[in-house]
Amino acid sequence: MTMIRKVKAIIDGYNAEPAQLISVLQDIQAEYRYLPREAMLEVSRRLEIPASRVYSVATFFRAFSLKPRGKHLISVCLGTACHVRGAQRIVESLERHLDVRAGETTDDMRYTLETVNCLGACALGPIVEVDGEYFGQMTTRKIGQIFRKYK
Ligand code: FES
């Protein structure tokens, strides 16, 4: 199914109801792992919501991405509690391992690396989240665990 047809089907599933904007975007994100531009324009047209509003909702929530994301999303917490326990070293180690900078996706589209502010489990810091799973008290040595689990 083409992207536009798929997006139309998602929108129809919500009866093209403008109040369902976030649910529609969540479904598109789940399908493509990001929100393609054409998809957002289609949402804007079909739900009769200005594109600027669709974009502002899409950029407000961390769960949404406007850029293609890899199969696995690795988020390193750089909130204060994690930062003072060496989270920056974890980021640098992951950047070297993946050969990308934070915010980027590997060429093979397997991993996206990003940094976030406080995942809400400060006592376990430094924390790395992979596809929703938390790895606490992370060290540069334990990074291999992540890649063994999320190949
Ligand atoms: S600062 Fe990292 S979980 Fe709160």
Side-chain angles (χ1 to χ4, degrees):
M1 201 186 284
T2 65
M3 180 193 293
I4 290 301
R5 284 185 60 188
K6 180 80 203 168
V7 169
K8 279 184 175 151
I10 290 171
I11 293 168
D12 288 344
Y14 292 98
N15 296 320
E17 178 56 59
Q20 298 299 325
L21 172 62
I22 291 175
S23 299
V24 168
L25 294 180
Q26 281 173 330
D27 285 5
I28 296 170
Q29 170 84 33
E31 182 73 24
Y32 298 103
R33 298 202 295 268
Y34 82 112
L35 300 174
R37 185 171 177 277
E38 315 86 87
M40 288 208 288
L41 293 177
E42 185 64 19
V43 168
S44 164
R45 263 194 302 274
R46 294 286 312 282
L47 297 189
E48 298 181 4
I49 296 173
S52 58
R53 166 125 185 84
V54 175
Y55 269 84
S56 72
V57 168
T59 49
F60 182 78
F61 294 99
R62 184 172 85 80
F64 295 133
S65 173
L66 301 190
K67 288 192 292 185
R69 272 182 176 168
K71 182 168 175 220
H72 301 296
L73 176 62
I74 303 175
S75 307
V76 184
C77 179
L78 281 183
T80 307
C82 291
H83 189 79
V84 298
R85 294 186 190 139
Q88 187 59 44
R89 279 198 303 278
I90 310 285
V91 174
E92 287 161 11
S93 181
L94 283 163
E95 285 179 334
R96 273 195 304 277
H97 193 98
L98 296 170
D99 197 21
V100 294
R101 309 284 297 170
E104 294 178 349
T105 297
T106 56
D107 288 343
D108 63 6
M109 299 302 290
R110 290 191 82 72
Y111 301 101
T112 294
L113 177 65
E114 66 171 21
T115 59
V116 294
N117 281 318
C118 194
L119 289 164
C122 310
L124 299 176
I127 295 221
V128 174
E129 179 190 5
V130 186
D131 297 347
E133 181 179 2
Y134 282 15
F135 292 81
Q137 294 164 341
M138 184 50 64
T139 64
T140 50
R141 285 194 186 162
K142 283 162 73 180
I143 280 173
Q145 281 179 11
I146 292 176
F147 294 107
R148 274 194 294 280
K149 185 153 188 196
Y150 294 92
K151 290 194 191 114

